[in-house]
Amino acid sequence: MRIDLNCDMGESFGAYTIGDDDRIMLWISSANIACGFHGGDPRVMDHTVAMAKKHQVAVGAHPGYPDRLGFGRRRLETFSGEIRGYMVYQMGALAAFARVHGIRLQHVKPHGALYNLAASDERTAEEVIAAVRSFDPEVILVTLAGSLCGEMAAEAGLRVAHEAFPDRAYQSDGQLAPRSLPGAVIRDPEVIGARAAKLVTSGAVTSIDGQEVAIKADTLCLHGDVPDAWKVARAIREGLAAAGVEVLPMSMICGS
Amino acid sequence: MRIDLNCDMGESFGAYTIGDDDRIMLWISSANIACGFHGGDPRVMDHTVAMAKKHQVAVGAHPGYPDRLGFGRRRLETFSGEIRGYMVYQMGALAAFARVHGIRLQHVKPHGALYNLAASDERTAEEVIAAVRSFDPEVILVTLAGSLCGEMAAEAGLRVAHEAFPDRAYQSDGQLAPRSLPGAVIRDPEVIGARAAKLVTSGAVTSIDGQEVAIKADTLCLHGDVPDAWKVARAIREGLAAAGVEVLPMSMICGS
Amino acid sequence: MRIDLNCDMGESFGAYTIGDDDRIMLWISSANIACGFHGGDPRVMDHTVAMAKKHQVAVGAHPGYPDRLGFGRRRLETFSGEIRGYMVYQMGALAAFARVHGIRLQHVKPHGALYNLAASDERTAEEVIAAVRSFDPEVILVTLAGSLCGEMAAEAGLRVAHEAFPDRAYQSDGQLAPRSLPGAVIRDPEVIGARAAKLVTSGAVTSIDGQEVAIKADTLCLHGDVPDAWKVARAIREGLAAAGVEVLPMSMICGS
Amino acid sequence: MRIDLNCDMGESFGAYTIGDDDRIMLWISSANIACGFHGGDPRVMDHTVAMAKKHQVAVGAHPGYPDRLGFGRRRLETFSGEIRGYMVYQMGALAAFARVHGIRLQHVKPHGALYNLAASDERTAEEVIAAVRSFDPEVILVTLAGSLCGEMAAEAGLRVAHEAFPDRAYQSDGQLAPRSLPGAVIRDPEVIGARAAKLVTSGAVTSIDGQEVAIKADTLCLHGDVPDAWKVARAIREGLAAAGVEVLPMSMICGS
């Protein structure tokens, strides 16, 4: 049994610091690195790639909408092809820093509103998939487990990493419970660690209304922007270790 | 006898149009494509690369300072390594669009204040050179003919394209006459065409004070942002053709 | 009979020019000046206010979403109060340039997607109205004739200018025909001029399906971003003059 | 004996937080509020003005260069009049939020590179002064004690607040010791508090080489971006209180 553990990294910008990258980097196997649109800048990208390499964490692009004020969390209406362009641009920029540091781009995971929209909107999913295929078909696309985008990407022949969230409650239909719902976001590191272990070992979560729901996951997402995120990371690693689960970069998990 | 003819392209942004790319593209052999910092955006980059490919014009990155309001024309103080990061980021982004369109990045030409500073400032030249070497040592660096940067890049083993300006007056020391000087900028297409032909066939220009000055050029720069720029382009092509000079992408001119 | 004629102005940015402000300014009575979010910058704002003053054109703020790439034409999800903040910020900035030039801010007209959303979305309209009231209740709010926002603003005690579009077809319910519909956008200056005159003198337009529809308008919008916009402006002025309609800034038309 | 205590506030942006405004606000008498160019955004400005009002802290505009990536810490080449425009724009935006909250703009203090350049560069000082005069001659301009800008502003009839830095070492000529010098930045709250008290009560500081140097100060600057900034704030207040110095907004100190 094995799983990848990913986290958004490199979202600091100029004089602004966000996240706790130095500590989180010690616990994850894949880093989703912001590409300068919603967060990140060339210095931060360069530094974050170097740090990931040092800690043998695989690097991925984490492209978002061009909306720094909104941190990529709000949808933008786009022309046909525009999302594809946002993706190509940002993957290229991050891949360049990987190349400069002698490593490869392992994956790409859209950020925020782009991730959410791609999960369910066909046109967006198509553009995301087209971007990855045309830029580098070896790059793994990270999508929400059970999403339209994941299905479409697999059909298109892309390598796909299905992602699950051990700190988020699920509905009995396998969808994430909306954040507005009480209990939708889990904060106790112990509980999150136990959920992570169960997700991997049993391929299921207990839904918010007590059902067992099958979730096929290649990678678990760690939220780096919560208080004491590194403690959650540690708890997940401990939970996984106790259950005999190995943590590996997703390229060693997702078929090529 | 042969020469490359380059022009800055793809500097439009969103609803804002600048330059006359559609017409200029017909006359040049290499396009310096803005990368989204001083000008350009993903849609414009995608479109400009596609158009260049269609017209068999080689593509290069045209990275600038992150200062859209100043259009990359003003210097920014930078941390050590910051210019290198600006270059890597923008080369990566443009190279991604080239890759998507199945072509290669031929060259990189810094824009505006970055070009000028790199020409004479050692630290800036070092960072520009380091960026190209670490990103892709096959990419040609375009520098001002006779500049420090050109010398340093050649010493560093990079492929260098030395650039001359047929529409700019030169001093007798081989430097460009400052734009503030009367006569520093030449506007008559016929005159520019004749200067271009002489530059290539004799390896010299007549300086602003009447001296013959040797200028070794691999590529001539066409300014796309002047009125009737395409007429200047046509006059240069006609002047070169009349003198028996072939116009070819710089990759066929600069040794590898 | 009298009417105001307004046009969006000052949307250029840095090296980028958009619109034909110099010529349009001669034909209008009120200028909606971009405030640096979707278009415009401090230099352009300063220059545009100065030019408006010189031509005795009244100035208004033309605030948009903070989305220069999208030119304010796409909606952004916002937190409660965020649109109010966008409005206050931009009105303040433009009012400062008016003050520096010794004139007053006459009006405010939201731009693009913000205008459209405010016309029909209650929360947006509330924030727009709250912004104007709290910043300066003497400032006139320009809204789409017949819109929710106009009604709400009037109820809130604001001075409101109801706006009509002589170059746009109307449906028989008084709504603008969507741009996607054939015939929705009228381009012939003569026709536009005649429609303008009829709008003012009869208080009605002929709808796209041949009905007479009452439209109460205090100001007519001229689109500055179409080819030969100034010819449309001239045709409207001529049409209005022939019908004996006086063109005056909206502050002389809307009650205080 | 009385003095104003000012601090830069409201430099957070979107999802990015910087500074410790909530705690610092309790200890100061004047807040320099970022205006959206180097830091800040409409939501942050609105919130910061509201918080200042609640704590009876006077508000000022803190305009910077339009360079968020560089946090306004690097100089930009500007056209004639451009700095004046940056100042007018940002003062207007901040003044609008003050107006909305029913308070007045007390002062303006240029940020970072703009502050430093204005202190010694005549053209920049002229534009800063022209901006304040034309926007609102009642607004106090905060300048480095002993600077060219302060002299010029006083001559121009502006209200000027001369600023000193209790946490910075001074040279015997009254200039700030460069940050690169060992000992140039003082970090011990007790020492800073004692220096503040001495500055106000004796009108002098002990320079880095042991000389007594006269410094006429109306306001002391507190740096909010250092670790435990609020402890420094508290130490200054305690030092001043022990010396019998009253802390008051600068409008009660600088003559009108």
Side-chain angles (χ1 to χ4, degrees), chain D:
Chain D
M1 282 176 311
R2 53 201 196 167
I3 194 78
D4 174 66
L5 190 54
N6 79 75
C7 188
D8 300 350
M9 307 292 274
E11 292 180 321
S12 295
F13 173 73
Y16 294 102
T17 299
I18 208 166
D20 188 14
D21 292 8
D22 287 355
R23 273 199 287 204
I24 300 287
M25 195 65 94
L26 306 174
W27 302 98
I28 60 176
S29 44
S30 293
N32 319 312
I33 301 177
C35 304
F37 274 31
H38 77 279
D41 67 41
R43 286 222 307 158
V44 170
M45 291 162 75
D46 192 39
H47 172 75
T48 310
V49 169
M51 191 166 58
K53 182 185 180 185
K54 179 179 163 197
H55 292 286
Q56 294 174 283
V57 170
V59 301
H62 193 45
Y65 282 111
D67 176 24
R68 204 181 307 279
L69 177 60
F71 203 62
R73 287 176 177 153
R74 47 191 183 182
R75 291 183 189 179
L76 295 181
E77 297 165 49
T78 49
F79 294 101
S80 171
E82 195 163 6
I83 285 173
R84 188 179 60 75
Y86 294 165
M87 295 278 300
V88 168
Y89 184 100
Q90 293 178 80
M91 286 189 292
L94 202 274
F97 286 103
R99 186 167 171 170
V100 157
H101 286 284
I103 59 178
R104 278 185 60 84
L105 186 69
Q106 174 195 243
H107 68 283
V108 56
K109 175 180 164 180
H111 168 79
L114 189 55
Y115 179 88
N116 293 332
L117 191 61
S120 59
D121 178 68
E122 189 172 347
R123 199 263 280 177
T124 305
E126 271 171 5
E127 295 204 14
V128 165
I129 292 164
V132 179
R133 280 183 78 176
S134 61
F135 175 64
D136 184 350
E138 288 303 304
V139 167
I140 298 168
L141 176 61
V142 179
T143 64
L144 181 63
S147 67
L148 174 67
C149 187
E151 270 177 59
M152 288 170 60
E155 269 169 45
L158 284 192
R159 299 173 71 185
V160 179
H162 303 279
E163 180 174 44
F165 296 82
D167 66 349
R168 291 288 303 278
Y170 281 80
Q171 299 172 167
S172 54
D173 63 356
Q175 300 295 303
L176 289 170
R179 280 174 182 273
S180 51
L181 229 68
V185 179
I186 300 156
R187 306 209 184 276
D188 182 329
E190 300 292 307
V191 176
I192 298 170
R195 287 174 66 86
K198 178 175 171 185
L199 243 162
V200 181
T201 54
S202 75
V205 293
T206 308
S207 76
I208 200 164
D209 53 351
Q211 311 286 315
E212 287 298 282
V213 182
I215 302 281
K216 176 198 174 314
D218 305 303
T219 183
L220 302 180
C221 180
L222 175 73
H223 287 105
D225 53 357
V226 297
D228 286 335
W230 72 273
K231 290 187 185 166
V232 174
R234 188 182 57 184
I236 291 176
R237 291 298 291 251
E238 288 173 354
L240 294 172
V245 178
E246 198 179 1
V247 175
L248 288 171
M250 60 183 83
S251 63
M252 299 186 177
I253 294 173
C254 307
S256 63

Side-chain angles (χ1 to χ4, degrees), chain C residues 42-116:
Chain C
R43 287 221 308 158
V44 170
M45 290 162 75
D46 192 38
H47 172 75
T48 309
V49 169
M51 191 166 59
K53 181 185 179 186
K54 181 180 161 194
H55 291 287
Q56 293 174 283
V57 169
V59 301
H62 192 47
Y65 281 111
D67 176 23
R68 203 181 307 281
L69 178 60
F71 203 63
R73 289 176 177 154
R74 48 190 183 182
R75 291 184 188 177
L76 295 180
E77 297 166 48
T78 49
F79 295 101
S80 171
E82 195 163 6
I83 284 173
R84 187 179 60 76
Y86 293 166
M87 294 279 300
V88 168
Y89 184 100
Q90 294 178 80
M91 285 189 292
L94 202 274
F97 286 104
R99 186 167 172 169
V100 158
H101 287 283
I103 59 178
R104 277 185 63 85
L105 187 68
Q106 174 195 243
H107 68 282
V108 56
K109 173 178 165 180
H111 168 80
L114 190 53
Y115 179 90
N116 293 331

Side-chain angles (χ1 to χ4, degrees), chain C residues 65-238:
Chain C
Y65 281 111
D67 176 23
R68 203 181 307 281
L69 178 60
F71 203 63
R73 289 176 177 154
R74 48 190 183 182
R75 291 184 188 177
L76 295 180
E77 297 166 48
T78 49
F79 295 101
S80 171
E82 195 163 6
I83 284 173
R84 187 179 60 76
Y86 293 166
M87 294 279 300
V88 168
Y89 184 100
Q90 294 178 80
M91 285 189 292
L94 202 274
F97 286 104
R99 186 167 172 169
V100 158
H101 287 283
I103 59 178
R104 277 185 63 85
L105 187 68
Q106 174 195 243
H107 68 282
V108 56
K109 173 178 165 180
H111 168 80
L114 190 53
Y115 179 90
N116 293 331
L117 192 59
S120 59
D121 179 67
E122 188 171 347
R123 199 263 280 176
T124 306
E126 269 172 6
E127 296 204 15
V128 165
I129 291 164
V132 179
R133 281 183 77 175
S134 61
F135 175 63
D136 185 351
E138 288 304 304
V139 167
I140 299 168
L141 176 61
V142 178
T143 64
L144 181 63
S147 67
L148 174 68
C149 187
E151 270 178 59
M152 288 171 60
E155 270 170 44
L158 282 193
R159 298 174 70 186
V160 179
H162 303 279
E163 180 175 43
F165 296 82
D167 66 348
R168 291 290 302 279
Y170 280 81
Q171 299 172 165
S172 53
D173 63 356
Q175 299 295 302
L176 288 170
R179 281 175 180 273
S180 50
L181 229 68
V185 179
I186 300 157
R187 304 209 186 277
D188 183 329
E190 299 293 306
V191 175
I192 299 171
R195 286 174 68 85
K198 177 174 173 184
L199 243 161
V200 182
T201 54
S202 74
V205 292
T206 308
S207 76
I208 201 164
D209 53 351
Q211 311 285 316
E212 287 299 281
V213 182
I215 302 281
K216 175 198 173 318
D218 305 303
T219 183
L220 301 181
C221 180
L222 175 73
H223 287 104
D225 54 355
V226 297
D228 287 335
W230 71 274
K231 289 187 186 166
V232 174
R234 189 183 55 186
I236 291 176
R237 292 297 291 251
E238 288 172 356

